[in-house]
Amino acid sequence: MIAKNLLFVHFFTTLLSNMPSDFAKREEEILKFWDEQKIFEKSLAKKSPRGNFVFFEGPPTANGKPGIHHVASRAFKDLIPRYKTMRGYHVERKAGWDTHGLPVELEVEKQLGISGKRDIERLKDTPEASIAFFNEECRKSVWKYLDEWNRLTKRVAFWIDLEHPYVTYETPYVESLWWAIKEIWKQGLLYEDDRIVPYCPRCGTTLSSHEVAQGYKEVEDPSIFVRFAVAGEPKTFFLVWTTTPWTLPANVALAVNPEVSYVKIRRGEETLILAEERASVAGAGDVVATVSGKDLVGMKYEPLYVFLPVPDAHRVVAADFVSTADGTGIVHIAPAFGEEDLRVGRENNLPVLKTVDEEGKFIAAVAPWAGLFVKDADPQVMDDLDKRGLLFKAERYAHDYPFCWRCSTPLLYYAKRSWWIRVTEVHKKLLKNAGAIRWVPAHIKEGRFGEWLRGVKDWAFSRERYWGTPLPVWRCGSCENIEVVGSIAELNEKKIGDDMLAADADLHRPMIDRVKLACGKCKGEMSRVKEVIDVWFDSGAMPFAQWHYPFENKRLVDKGEAFPADYISEAIDQTRGWFYTLLAVGTLLGRGAPYKNVVSLGHVLDAKGAKMSKSKGNVVDPWLMIERYGADAVRWYMYTVNHPGDPKRFDEADLDRVTKQFFLILQNVVAFWKTYAGEPAATNERFKVKHVLDRWIIARVNELIKTVTASLEEYEATDAARPIAEFVTDLSTWYVRRSRERFKSDDAEDRATAGKTLRHTLATLARLMAPFTPFFAEELYRAMGEGGESVHLEDWPEADGRAIDEKLLQEMQSIRALASMALEKRAVAGIPVRQALLKLTVKTRGKLSPELLALLRDEVNVREVVGEEREGSPDVSLDTTLTPELRREGLAREIARQVNALRKQAGLTIADKIVLAYETESPAIREMFSALGNTLRRDTRAAELRAGKIETEFAKEMELDGAKVWIGLTKV
């Protein structure tokens, strides 16, 4: 153990003269140490007097490369479990992989050089063989970047069990999903319905509302006003506004608000009908009549297009959703392409004209634009209306429009028969469960997340795709009976045929599509519906499915050992993704809130605040940053640059700053301790502190423990990390700098106490830093000679309230403020600090102790500090008179500074004595060497002071007080 400790001490101190990239090299060595000694495993095996702390890993997809934003999320995921482990909890950390869904399918389509469902089903001789081939390619694709993900995860010290992950495509996981779906079905919350759904024509599938929320972009679309000729009234038109010209061939009605007042405006030979409040849209004209909306209901109009037979259509209907906030107060109704349109259509027994196929292209019956994608057809429809005199006005308007969150195709709102989960039925429970969750940042709870929940809609659950969890619904071909299967055992009980499915059978398409069941009602044959489920259900059900619940590990979940999570963390976009689906599934299954605390992370942007993308060339390579600065620097930057929920403008210059202003400063403190304090002492060694600096830094240490602990208990990482950085600055720029002479003094007792105090401070700091910067903390722990195997197996430090001397902390703060004021006056006077001055007068409200005034005296380099009590703000006055004696002292301090620089250049330690030689023609400087020889010998650790040059490679010629001076040294 001693040899191992000395090895770590050596490694740590060699960093002092190295470039930042050497941090990365040292981290690699620590990784090797952790792996060889199984430190992570040992941390899991520690005694856990406080029981379990539950953490859920949001599963990433391994068929895309990890980026710098994944380092951010992994840093925050790792922080709290490490902290809680040191606090005495057992924190199971099971990795997970999200392996289903469109992201995987699109990647495989790209690899195969195909696009869309039609191409997929033509890959082989039959659709079934094609689907089998395609899904097998998907299964392979999900692991494309697994090694890189695992390597990055380990490299950034995210301790998680990668050996036993949950995988969403594996049979036990899918079986648990089937169980959950059946539980939802048993409550009557899973149903099939014809509805308007957000639909991706490229992917050929429905999207859920939480998926749609992730894909909005600002676009410009047509905004047109169209004339609809009133039947039987020549040159009279309803003026109608629409932003989707492509839906006009599917028009079957016009809707008005029966409570709104409408006008007829004559413009030349034509008469236009529109809402009175929107009359300005028609331009100049005379109002010839005013009618109520209910008087317009039932009126007929001439259809713009007749591509399909439409009985009992093209009439005005009433609709309360019609507004006069924009448009004309008359809405064109196409039930196939709008949620409100479909509702009004059903209320008025209107036909549903599907003029567009599932690829978003006009069907053959729409002859002028057959086969044309609807968005591409907009200009042609407008041109046709214009030629026929029906286009009144055309404009462009900017608005947010939903695009497919994976393939970026514009979504269509399309009438389809789909499977839904009735989330609206459990809306009150959803809100109640959400109320029990703590959010960081707090405003998301009632803001982004709360607003989403308050407007929640039923879950569009089914997908018309291939690589996903098959919807476990079988329908009888004879009586239309529906059965939902919740396990492989149940499937075997009901299936037709003697060949039973094994416990590890592949449940994906097309294999599962071949399984036929015997109908429980009519004994007919039941076939599985073709859909798979929304991939977000896969991840939302992970609290149960990761344990193959309820088939295994039932106690873990039911007894609270693995559910709910105490902590989860992901990016802000997961408020309508994983954060939502976890809550939805937990609520639907009657299990309450699935997590107690969530840290939502802002996006990682480039240095200018732009989203990173390959096309812009602004993507930051995480490996490059780690190689240059080390993983700890990247982690520390993510914790300290701003609060978790704020967007992070990633700038490499910040990493460089972090390295220099935090890690290198702390390393220099360690090097100072090693140089002057001697051998490490045991952690638990008790020692008394008398000196004011020792008492102050011990108070600061305990204050820091209290602050960091309180912030981490609130899951406030930034509020916990920044005080550590401030403490390191205080430690270096005040405690160590003001204690330098003590470490060199002949007072053995004071020197030893200072060394023990600094070692205790650094050893405590290693524990506090362990969750944030696990590599550096490990090195610091070892450098301090701690006896344990790893800092990550240690307990979290406890604050000693008795040691937090509030009065001393306040007084020291005042002394430092006075010192800053005095040094500023020195700077204004142009007198360097090395030049001693006679007197500093400080004026404060209260009386300062002599030992604090002595610190101020040494910091400002004056002979005397005089304290005066006064009301009002503190102030200082500095006597800048320079006597010959003071000038000599200033010269001596400068000589000592230059000699110590030569000592460092020679690689000498504090124990090494030297012969100090000098030569100068200046009588004043020779007199200084004579008068202050003892002081110079003490300050430079010189055994002998010699006049005249000597042979040495460690020498320097300098100009001092207008005269040339040569100094040189040799080791005794």
Side-chain angles (χ1 to χ4, degrees):
M1 181 63 72
I2 292 174
K4 186 184 294 181
N5 286 345
L6 290 175
L7 180 64
F8 269 76
V9 169
H10 169 71
F11 282 143
F12 193 94
T13 54
T14 56
L15 282 169
L16 293 170
S17 59
N18 292 338
M19 298 297 291
S21 60
D22 284 336
F23 280 105
K25 296 175 185 175
R26 284 298 306 117
E27 289 176 353
E28 293 281 2
E29 294 180 26
I30 293 173
L31 278 176
K32 185 179 179 183
F33 163 71
W34 286 342
D35 284 345
E36 289 176 350
Q37 301 303 317
K38 300 189 179 303
I39 302 300
F40 173 41
E41 291 81 357
K42 288 176 180 176
S43 75
L44 292 174
K46 272 183 65 177
K47 289 183 179 179
S48 309
R50 297 190 176 190
N52 285 357
F53 180 87
V54 181
F55 166 73
F56 289 164
E57 159 72 330
T61 301
N63 73 326
K65 286 186 177 182
I68 194 72
H69 56 294
H70 293 111
V71 177
S73 65
R74 273 156 152 57
F76 278 93
K77 289 178 182 183
D78 185 63
L79 173 67
I80 298 299
R82 281 185 183 273
Y83 164 70
K84 289 295 183 178
T85 298
M86 295 180 76
R87 290 284 283 169
Y89 291 92
H90 176 76
V91 188
E92 188 79 32
R93 280 160 270 183
K94 192 177 184 67
W97 298 108
D98 192 7
T99 54
H100 280 147
L102 274 174
V104 183
E105 292 197 32
L106 295 179
E107 182 66 22
V108 172
E109 285 186 38
K110 191 186 303 180
Q111 292 170 10
L112 297 176
I114 61 174
S115 180
K117 293 166 66 176
R118 187 176 298 179
D119 286 354
I120 291 171
E121 296 194 10
R122 292 174 177 173
L123 285 168
K124 297 296 179 182
D125 293 338
T126 65
E128 182 178 301
S130 298
I131 294 169
F133 171 76
F134 181 74
N135 275 358
E136 186 56 35
E137 292 302 304
C138 288
R139 189 187 299 267
K140 296 174 188 173
S141 174
V142 297
W143 304 121
K144 183 175 181 180
Y145 296 105
L146 177 64
D147 290 344
E148 188 160 348
W149 272 94
N150 284 345
R151 192 162 66 93
L152 184 69
T153 297
K154 290 179 179 179
R155 185 61 189 83
V156 300
F158 176 27
W159 275 1
I160 194 163
D161 184 1
L162 295 169
E163 301 301 318
H164 309 93
Y166 67 86
V167 179
T168 60
Y169 76 56
E170 289 183 346
T171 299
Y173 198 96
V174 171
E175 187 175 27
S176 288
L177 297 179
W178 279 12
W179 162 80
I181 294 167
K182 179 156 188 177
E183 290 297 304
I184 294 168
W185 164 263
K186 283 156 64 175
Q187 299 175 63
L189 301 178
L190 177 68
Y191 66 98
E192 191 179 20
D193 193 15
D194 288 305
R195 283 192 178 190
I196 299 296
V197 294
Y199 178 80
C200 176
R202 197 228 72 88
C203 299
T205 190
T206 302
L207 278 74
S208 59
S209 56
H210 49 268
E211 289 177 299
V212 175
Q214 299 185 63
Y216 277 90
K217 300 177 184 179
E218 186 174 293
V219 297
E220 272 200 355
D221 271 332
S223 170
I224 67 171
F225 295 84
V226 182
R227 296 178 177 94
F228 283 74
V230 178
E233 296 186 31
K235 298 188 181 299
T236 300
F237 304 91
F238 293 109
L239 190 59
V240 180
W241 178 62
T242 183
T243 58
T244 53
W246 63 268
T247 62
L248 290 171
N251 171 266
V252 294
L254 298 177
V256 297
N257 191 321
E259 304 303 320
V260 167
S261 179
Y262 289 80
V263 291
K264 294 183 178 182
I265 297 177
R266 182 164 297 153
R267 300 174 71 256
E269 295 184 357
E270 72 175 0
T271 299
L272 301 177
I273 302 173
L274 70 164
E276 185 174 18
E277 288 184 43
R278 303 299 299 169
S280 60
V281 173
D286 299 322
V287 176
V288 296
T290 301
V291 296
S292 68
K294 62 184 177 183
D295 293 331
L296 298 176
V297 173
M299 290 180 65
K300 293 279 192 172
Y301 64 91
E302 302 294 336
L304 297 182
Y305 299 102
V306 182
F307 293 123
L308 295 168
V310 281
D312 195 26
H314 303 119
R315 51 191 166 91
V316 178
V317 297
D320 56 9
F321 71 85
V322 176
S323 166
T324 56
D326 50 24
T328 66
I330 305 177
V331 175
H332 130 70
I333 300 296
F337 305 117
E339 189 172 350
E340 295 287 4
D341 297 45
L342 184 60
R343 178 174 66 81
V344 169
R346 286 175 172 170
E347 290 172 355
N348 291 276
N349 197 29
L350 294 167
V352 178
L353 298 188
K354 283 195 174 182
T355 52
V356 176
D357 65 19
E358 293 193 358
E359 292 183 350
K361 298 174 182 178
F362 280 111
I363 61 175
V366 186
W369 308 297
L372 192 63
F373 183 65
V374 292
K375 289 287 186 180
D376 297 330
D378 274 345
Q380 297 188 31
V381 173
M382 292 162 61
D383 186 55
D384 176 71
L385 293 171
D386 191 30
K387 289 176 181 177
R388 294 161 56 201
L390 299 176
L391 183 64
F392 179 77
K393 183 166 61 173
E395 300 169 340
R396 303 286 294 178
Y397 87 113
H399 67 127
D400 288 336
Y401 190 86
F403 287 72
C404 179
W405 66 294
R406 284 304 184 186
C407 76
S408 295
T409 299
L411 298 182
L412 305 182
Y413 284 87
Y414 195 82
K416 283 185 67 65
R417 191 161 186 80
S418 303
W419 289 87
W420 299 76
I421 292 180
R422 210 181 306 273
V423 181
T424 51
E425 188 78 14
V426 295
H427 192 204
K428 289 184 180 178
K429 292 180 181 177
L430 203 66
L431 293 173
K432 180 182 177 183
N433 292 337
I437 299 169
R438 169 170 37 192
W439 282 83
V440 177
H443 65 80
I444 293 180
K445 180 170 184 173
E446 297 300 328
R448 184 184 176 103
F449 194 66
E451 288 169 6
W452 172 256
L453 291 182
R454 287 188 287 273
V456 77
K457 299 179 180 179
D458 283 356
W459 188 342
F461 192 61
S462 58
R463 301 290 180 270
E464 302 84 17
R465 294 296 300 192
Y466 311 99
W467 180 241
T469 297
L471 186 63
V473 175
W474 271 257
R475 191 195 317 269
C476 180
S478 301
C479 69
E480 294 292 312
N481 177 40
I482 294 290
E483 290 197 26
V484 177
V485 174
S487 68
I488 292 175
E490 183 183 353
L491 195 66
N492 282 329
E493 287 175 14
K494 297 177 177 179
K495 74 183 294 294
I496 297 172
D498 297 329
D499 51 328
M500 297 291 101
L501 273 73
D504 60 351
D506 183 6
L507 300 179
H508 289 88
R509 298 190 68 189
M511 284 67 75
I512 196 66
D513 297 339
R514 301 172 192 147
V515 177
K516 308 298 180 184
L517 306 186
C519 179
K521 283 191 175 180
C522 72
K523 305 305 180 185
E525 184 177 91
M526 305 186 79
S527 299
R528 196 189 73 82
V529 300
K530 298 301 183 186
E531 291 90 347
V532 296
I533 69 171
D534 179 6
V535 69
W536 287 100
F537 189 82
D538 285 15
S539 55
M542 59 75 58
F544 311 98
Q546 70 171 334
W547 299 112
H548 192 208
Y549 181 90
F551 310 102
E552 296 180 80
N553 303 302
K554 202 167 186 301
R555 177 184 173 83
L556 275 179
V557 176
D558 290 346
K559 299 297 181 181
E561 295 177 35
F563 182 93
D566 292 289
Y567 172 65
I568 62 172
S569 177
E570 290 292 346
I572 186 73
D573 50 5
Q574 295 300 329
T575 48
R576 296 170 186 180
W578 189 53
F579 296 153
Y580 167 67
T581 55
L582 278 174
L583 180 63
V585 174
T587 302
L588 288 162
L589 295 178
R591 300 304 179 104
Y595 48 91
K596 300 175 183 177
N597 303 283
V598 52
V599 173
S600 177
L601 306 175
H603 291 302
V604 180
L605 310 172
D606 73 6
K608 296 179 180 179
K611 186 177 180 180
M612 294 185 191
S613 70
K614 291 180 182 177
S615 60
K616 292 180 182 177
N618 63 347
V619 174
V620 174
D621 182 354
W623 286 107
L624 191 59
M625 296 300 100
I626 291 168
E627 287 165 8
R628 287 181 182 169
Y629 302 95
D632 273 345
V634 181
R635 286 176 62 126
W636 190 248
Y637 164 82
M638 296 299 180
Y639 300 134
T640 58
V641 66
N642 56 17
H643 283 86
D646 297 333
K648 291 169 172 50
R649 295 190 175 194
F650 188 90
D651 191 337
E652 186 177 346
D654 288 328
L655 282 188
D656 186 61
R657 175 182 53 78
V658 159
T659 302
K660 291 173 180 174
Q661 295 183 5
F662 184 69
F663 295 104
L664 289 179
I665 285 177
L666 190 49
Q667 279 189 172
N668 285 331
V669 173
V670 175
F672 176 85
W673 175 81
K674 272 193 56 61
T675 301
Y676 293 103
E679 291 300 316
T683 306
N684 58 4
E685 180 190 14
R686 303 184 69 83
F687 59 95
K688 291 184 178 180
V689 291
K690 299 177 182 178
H691 196 284
V692 65
L693 282 169
D694 295 340
R695 288 188 282 115
W696 172 73
I697 200 65
I698 293 296
R700 283 284 283 120
V701 166
N702 285 280
E703 181 186 51
L704 182 66
I705 295 170
K706 186 176 178 181
T707 299
V708 175
T709 304
S711 294
L712 288 180
E713 286 298 316
E714 295 295 318
Y715 299 86
E716 294 285 359
T718 305
D719 291 346
R722 285 179 175 174
I724 296 175
E726 292 166 6
F727 178 86
V728 167
T729 300
D730 282 355
L731 179 65
S732 171
T733 61
W734 191 249
Y735 179 80
V736 171
R737 195 158 54 79
R738 290 273 43 88
S739 298
R740 282 184 179 278
E741 298 307 316
R742 296 176 59 214
F743 278 88
K744 300 175 187 176
S745 76
D746 295 326
D747 185 337
E749 182 181 354
D750 186 44
R751 191 171 65 244
T753 303
K756 291 174 182 177
T757 300
L758 182 53
R759 195 207 67 80
H760 169 78
T761 299
L762 291 170
T764 304
L765 200 55
R767 289 167 172 80
L768 291 176
M769 290 172 61
F772 300 91
T773 57
F775 296 104
F776 197 98
E778 189 75 279
E779 296 226 38
L780 182 55
Y781 176 81
R782 293 291 182 175
M784 290 300 102
E786 297 291 83
E789 190 173 9
S790 168
V791 70
H792 302 293
L793 302 179
E794 293 285 350
D795 291 335
W796 187 254
E798 297 287 340
D800 181 356
R802 295 170 301 176
I804 304 176
D805 187 336
E806 297 287 355
K807 183 172 181 292
L808 175 58
L809 290 171
Q810 184 60 48
E811 288 180 338
M812 191 67 80
Q813 188 175 340
S814 298
I815 284 292
R816 296 180 71 184
L818 292 168
S820 295
M821 295 166 66
L823 292 173
E824 186 176 343
K825 289 185 179 293
R826 267 186 170 275
V828 170
I831 302 174
V833 179
R834 64 178 177 270
Q835 174 61 65
L837 294 175
L838 280 174
K839 186 170 71 172
L840 172 71
T841 302
V842 297
K843 302 169 185 178
T844 59
R845 286 185 178 182
K847 191 174 182 181
L848 295 170
S849 68
E851 56 186 353
L852 288 172
L853 291 176
L855 287 179
L856 182 58
R857 180 195 65 208
D858 293 341
E859 175 69 7
V860 184
N861 192 17
V862 294
R863 290 277 186 85
E864 180 186 15
V865 177
V866 177
E868 295 181 3
E869 292 189 55
R870 60 169 256 182
E871 293 301 317
S873 301
D875 195 13
V876 300
S877 60
L878 191 64
D879 185 347
T880 57
T881 305
L882 289 177
T883 65
E885 185 181 358
L886 289 174
R887 286 186 179 278
R888 278 200 303 270
E889 288 183 12
L891 295 174
R893 286 185 68 134
E894 179 59 20
I895 290 291
R897 189 174 73 85
Q898 298 290 348
V899 171
N900 285 325
L902 287 175
R903 286 182 62 98
K904 187 175 181 180
Q905 183 182 334
L908 302 180
T909 69
I910 191 173
D912 295 323
K913 295 285 187 176
I914 62 169
V915 172
L916 173 58
Y918 67 92
E919 183 176 84
T920 181
E921 294 181 0
S922 168
I925 295 176
R926 284 200 297 267
E927 182 187 351
M928 180 273 295
F929 272 104
S930 176
L932 299 177
N934 289 336
T935 301
L936 278 170
R937 279 192 290 270
R938 182 197 67 201
D939 291 346
T940 61
R941 309 291 290 173
E944 180 184 352
L945 189 61
R946 185 183 300 176
K949 288 186 178 180
I950 60 175
E951 287 293 326
T952 178
E953 61 178 306
F954 303 108
K956 182 175 184 179
E957 190 165 275
M958 55 189 288
E959 188 171 300
L960 195 61
D961 203 26
K964 290 185 178 179
V965 182
W966 179 94
I967 54 173
L969 62 85
T970 58
K971 181 180 175 183
V972 174

